[in-house]
Amino acid sequence: MSYDQPQQRRGGNRARAPPMSMRAPPPNQNGYQNQPPQDNYNNRAPSMMPQQQWVDPRYSHYNSPQQNYSQPPPREYQGGGYVSPQQPQQPPNRYQGQNQQYPPQRGNHSPTNNKPGVWSDSASDSSVNMEDRPGQQYKNQGQAYQPYNPATGPRQPPQQQAYRKPTEKSEDGKKVMPNVPSRSYALDGEDDKSKRTNRGNTKALMALIAEMWIFHIAIILGSTYWMVFYNPINFYTDTELWNASCYWKLVFLLPMPYTIVCLFGLALPFRTPKFLYHDKLKKRRCDNFYILTVTRGNNREAVYRAWNAHKHLERLHPSVRVHVLTDEPFFFENINCYTCPKAFSTAKSKYKARALEWYRQTMRYTEYDWIMHLDEESVIDDETVRRCLEFIWYEEDCHWGQGVILYNQYKFWSNWIFTVADALRVGDDLSRFQLQYTYFKRPLFGAHGSFLMTNGLVENAITWDLGSLTEDYEFAVAAWKRGFRCGKVAGFIREQSPQGYMDFMKQRRRWFIGIWRLGAFLPKLWAFFWTLGLPCLAGTIASIPLGLIKATAQPTPRWLGLCKDLTFCVFVYLYILGMFIQDVDKGKFPLLVLLHIPLTFVVQFITVTMEALAVAYGLIFPPKGFDVIKK
């Protein structure tokens, strides 16, 4: 059996194999156990190296002639990723007292555990590992996990992913921009009194949502009962089960599979970690938590806006790293900007997925690294970062997760139509996707590209070499096939809705066509249900003249009216719920929150029509590439 793979259990009460980190290294070619551990820090990219070099006490008695762990890094790479050679080397505080600061330095600042808002590094204790979990067979596969070879020494990055050093110059002698920053700029000029732009009411809003499930049931069933038995404009009969008007009224039942799934998601409690996490629980190890903002780079205002909102997050915990990923020729000075070179290519991926694959290979993830993927307009607040770290530490059965996305960060209610249109997506996260992440732990309905938090082990197993327009959905499906489980992150990120009609249409078109083109069965099934919006829209328009002609002579059977009204109430409630949550999070005046409810009810008829037209737009004019919309 290979040393890099865990032992397989074959039934019975056989004792669990010891964690990989506690096993002795395998003998080398001379028969001596003198190899260094597999987690070779000297093989990572310069800017993401650990904050200091240290000798693991478990391997201090192995004097490997091939690798010297106490050697300081090259001077040109000292800065955000290293301490200077003059500073003493200290092990992390998981091997010494919890009062030991680690890392002692990030840039020119030294976070202190005594300051408010800064957490103790003891939370990164490696008391829980991912041994004998799905995906361990991929741990040492791919370019990011080549085993250590004593004959050749440390592995070298592939030629196509080589990055430029900050001091490198072009042929004409001019200084070129680096692909990888030499140090962290996150805490330059940053202190506890700096103005925060990532404010939110995450804690109070999560407490509210956790108790709303009983109100969901009461409101939906109560409104359905009123429409079936007391609505004066409905003409129902109990004397017949079928008549000629039922044929065209069946189109109202086409969205019913979607609404039934959402109804179950709303009826089941929205579980939050309020009573689930405590300090006595074992904590999974986390070395690096990358908050990665991915952007094409042409919207400089949005990039710097996101950077200024997130840069202070590195003060919260030593594992937090705030990075920005873009493509050449775009580069942003004085921020932690990682620029994917033009020369980098993959077999299938393009655009955003290509940049993510370059970043993955450059950073060389391990199973102790976690990545939070954000769009350029996404903003994450401090409370959500804390909840993300709690998910990493305590949800040991989950390998990736996702939370709720709000669309109230910028230009909220500046355009009524697009604001109401994205309210449905918030309701979708609180119903269908909460059912998926909280109870099923499998991506039955896919995943979003933003607020996607993944483990390095998962990304190394799946990679981002995906040839889909919806790389996030394809990534989730591939992770499910390989046995990785997902979970719900009890937090929010805040984004911005599209501000133009064609941007809205292109966004929805890319989602629909990208999901339709995936090879798995479930994505095609959900895309098929998406197309049912077209006949439903046509039936709704046709019902106006048909209902005026035949409403009195041929009333609707009550069972059909019950199904139709239940579907309608759930669908409208998703819009109203999404808008209510966003208004409360934004701190709107209570009277204004109440006035937005009937306004949402009226405007949602327009947005439903736009959603159906976007599907038709995709079927007639499918996208040829990745459409980047303006926000």
Side-chain angles (χ1 to χ4, degrees):
M1 179 178 293
S2 172
Y3 165 72
D4 296 323
Q5 296 182 355
Q7 298 181 7
Q8 302 292 332
R9 303 188 206 176
R10 299 184 180 178
N13 296 322
R14 183 174 298 181
R16 180 188 179 94
M20 294 289 298
S21 58
M22 301 301 295
R23 301 181 193 175
N28 63 3
Q29 57 185 357
N30 298 324
Y32 296 98
Q33 294 181 345
N34 59 359
Q35 295 185 14
Q38 291 288 337
D39 190 4
N40 192 350
Y41 290 117
N42 290 346
N43 293 336
R44 299 191 186 182
S47 62
M48 55 78 64
M49 296 288 287
Q51 301 299 314
Q52 55 191 355
Q53 295 292 324
W54 56 276
V55 180
D56 193 328
R58 297 172 297 178
Y59 298 96
S60 59
H61 59 285
Y62 298 127
N63 299 319
S64 173
Q66 291 84 11
Q67 187 75 11
N68 186 0
Y69 280 85
S70 62
Q71 189 70 21
R75 184 171 296 274
E76 62 267 24
Y77 289 137
Q78 293 171 12
Y82 290 95
V83 297
S84 61
Q86 290 78 12
Q87 294 179 347
Q89 300 173 10
Q90 300 174 352
N93 64 358
R94 57 177 172 267
Y95 297 111
Q96 290 188 1
Q98 295 186 2
N99 295 327
Q100 184 73 30
Q101 298 179 15
Y102 177 77
Q105 179 180 0
R106 185 181 289 123
N108 298 324
H109 302 266
S110 178
T112 305
N113 290 337
N114 295 329
K115 292 183 178 181
V118 180
W119 303 332
S120 170
D121 190 44
S122 61
S124 295
D125 190 6
S126 180
S127 57
V128 176
N129 54 56
M130 300 178 68
E131 191 68 23
D132 294 339
R133 307 252 178 102
Q136 282 294 314
Q137 61 270 32
Y138 311 108
K139 178 178 178 181
N140 291 317
Q141 292 185 7
Q143 294 178 342
Y145 283 102
Q146 296 298 330
Y148 179 85
N149 189 347
T152 60
R155 62 195 175 190
Q156 299 297 327
Q159 185 68 26
Q160 63 176 0
Q161 69 178 35
Y163 42 78
R164 292 193 296 265
K165 301 178 182 178
T167 57
E168 186 175 328
K169 296 184 178 180
S170 60
E171 297 179 357
D172 56 0
K174 296 181 179 180
K175 184 179 179 180
V176 298
M177 295 295 101
N179 296 111
V180 176
S182 60
R183 68 180 184 90
S184 176
Y185 296 90
L187 300 182
D188 288 354
E190 181 70 25
D191 54 40
D192 292 335
K193 298 181 180 180
S194 300
K195 184 179 180 180
R196 302 287 186 256
T197 59
N198 66 331
R199 300 295 186 183
N201 296 318
T202 298
K203 190 173 183 179
L205 203 60
M206 273 295 165
L208 175 64
I209 294 176
E211 310 298 335
M212 285 186 67
W213 61 275
I214 187 66
F215 296 97
H216 300 330
I217 300 175
I219 294 174
I220 292 176
L221 296 184
S223 58
T224 302
Y225 181 83
W226 178 84
M227 291 191 66
V228 172
F229 294 101
Y230 296 102
N231 189 359
I233 66 174
N234 288 337
F235 298 94
Y236 296 150
T237 178
D238 297 321
T239 59
E240 56 183 359
L241 298 177
W242 189 266
N243 55 45
S245 66
C246 295
Y247 289 103
W248 58 268
K249 292 177 182 178
L250 287 177
V251 296
F252 296 117
L253 304 185
L254 295 180
M256 196 168 185
Y258 168 77
T259 55
I260 290 299
V261 172
C262 292
L263 178 60
F264 276 103
L266 293 171
L268 293 175
F270 191 94
R271 294 174 55 196
T272 59
K274 183 178 180 180
F275 303 105
L276 300 180
Y277 301 156
H278 54 83
D279 295 336
K280 295 183 180 180
L281 290 176
K282 294 182 179 180
K283 297 177 181 178
R284 182 165 48 181
R285 172 177 167 183
C286 176
D287 288 347
N288 297 286
F289 178 39
Y290 299 104
I291 299 178
L292 180 64
T293 299
V294 185
T295 175
R296 184 179 181 181
N298 55 349
N299 191 344
R300 298 183 64 87
E301 178 184 358
V303 173
Y304 280 106
R305 186 173 58 191
W307 168 257
N308 292 328
H310 295 153
K311 61 182 181 180
H312 73 280
L313 297 176
E314 291 200 3
R315 302 181 65 90
L316 299 182
H317 191 269
S319 64
V320 177
R321 311 281 187 268
V322 180
H323 292 172
V324 174
L325 175 62
T326 184
D327 278 319
E328 278 190 332
F330 299 103
F331 177 81
F332 301 93
E333 297 181 351
N334 300 324
I335 70 175
N336 298 343
C337 180
Y338 289 73
T339 304
C340 178
K342 292 182 179 179
F344 179 78
S345 62
T346 61
K348 296 181 292 183
S349 62
K350 296 180 180 179
Y351 313 111
K352 179 181 177 180
R354 184 186 73 93
L356 289 174
E357 178 62 14
W358 173 83
Y359 183 83
R360 181 193 70 85
Q361 295 184 18
T362 301
M363 305 309 287
R364 297 180 175 270
Y365 301 142
T366 70
E367 63 178 301
Y368 308 118
D369 296 334
W370 289 77
I371 309 93
M372 169 63 71
H373 298 271
L374 302 176
D375 291 336
E376 63 182 7
E377 74 277 5
S378 305
V379 173
I380 184 172
D381 65 333
D382 298 16
E383 177 66 19
T384 299
V385 172
R386 182 182 69 84
R387 291 169 180 262
C388 290
L389 289 171
E390 288 180 344
F391 177 90
I392 295 171
W393 295 332
Y394 301 118
E395 296 290 344
E396 56 183 270
D397 293 331
C398 298
H399 306 89
W400 63 278
Q402 198 159 49
V404 180
I405 302 178
L406 306 180
Y407 303 90
N408 60 354
Q409 182 64 26
Y410 307 110
K411 300 180 180 179
F412 185 52
W413 278 108
S414 62
N415 188 302
W416 293 5
I417 295 178
F418 301 125
T419 299
V420 174
D422 278 339
L424 177 63
R425 300 174 62 188
V426 179
D428 206 31
D429 284 346
L430 295 174
S431 57
R432 185 166 58 113
F433 280 94
Q434 94 92 5
L435 180 67
Q436 164 183 296
Y437 290 122
T438 305
Y439 296 96
F440 293 144
K441 302 291 185 180
R442 291 167 179 81
L444 299 176
F445 311 114
H448 303 307
S450 186
F451 205 171
L452 179 63
M453 190 172 70
T454 60
N455 180 260
L457 179 68
V458 182
E459 294 209 11
N460 288 325
I462 308 301
T463 78
W464 288 102
D465 191 9
L466 309 170
S468 171
L469 292 174
T470 51
E471 72 287 334
D472 45 8
Y473 204 128
E474 186 176 3
F475 182 90
V477 172
W480 183 13
K481 290 182 178 179
R482 303 214 179 183
F484 296 108
R485 293 169 63 89
C486 59
K488 181 186 64 184
V489 181
F492 298 99
I493 68 165
R494 295 155 182 89
E495 295 187 353
Q496 177 183 345
S497 300
Q499 297 300 308
Y501 176 75
M502 287 308 302
D503 289 332
F504 177 89
M505 299 292 287
K506 289 180 179 179
Q507 183 188 61
R508 266 52 174 185
R509 179 185 67 169
R510 180 178 66 84
W511 294 345
F512 168 69
I513 296 298
I515 296 174
W516 181 272
R517 291 176 179 175
L518 294 180
F521 169 74
L522 282 179
K524 292 185 178 298
L525 178 62
W526 305 138
F528 170 74
F529 283 127
W530 202 345
T531 59
L532 295 181
L534 288 174
C536 186
L537 175 62
T540 302
I541 298 175
S543 66
I544 298 176
L546 292 175
L548 293 176
I549 297 173
K550 299 183 179 181
T552 305
Q554 292 182 315
T556 304
R558 195 171 297 275
W559 70 267
L560 182 58
L562 173 63
C563 298
K564 175 178 66 70
D565 292 338
L566 177 63
T567 300
F568 177 78
C569 290
V570 173
F571 200 77
V572 173
Y573 184 74
L574 292 176
Y575 276 100
I576 296 176
L577 174 64
M579 189 56 63
F580 174 79
I581 293 298
Q582 293 182 101
D583 282 340
V584 173
D585 177 72
K586 201 65 176 179
K588 295 290 186 179
F589 187 69
L591 181 59
L592 191 60
V593 174
L594 296 178
L595 291 177
H596 284 167
I597 293 178
L599 180 61
T600 301
F601 176 80
V602 175
V603 177
Q604 63 92 20
F605 290 102
I606 302 176
T607 63
V608 168
T609 304
M610 293 172 55
E611 297 279 1
L613 293 178
V615 173
Y617 180 49
L619 293 174
I620 300 174
F621 304 102
K624 297 181 180 179
F626 193 96
D627 295 322
V628 179
I629 65 174
K630 296 180 181 180
K631 292 187 178 181

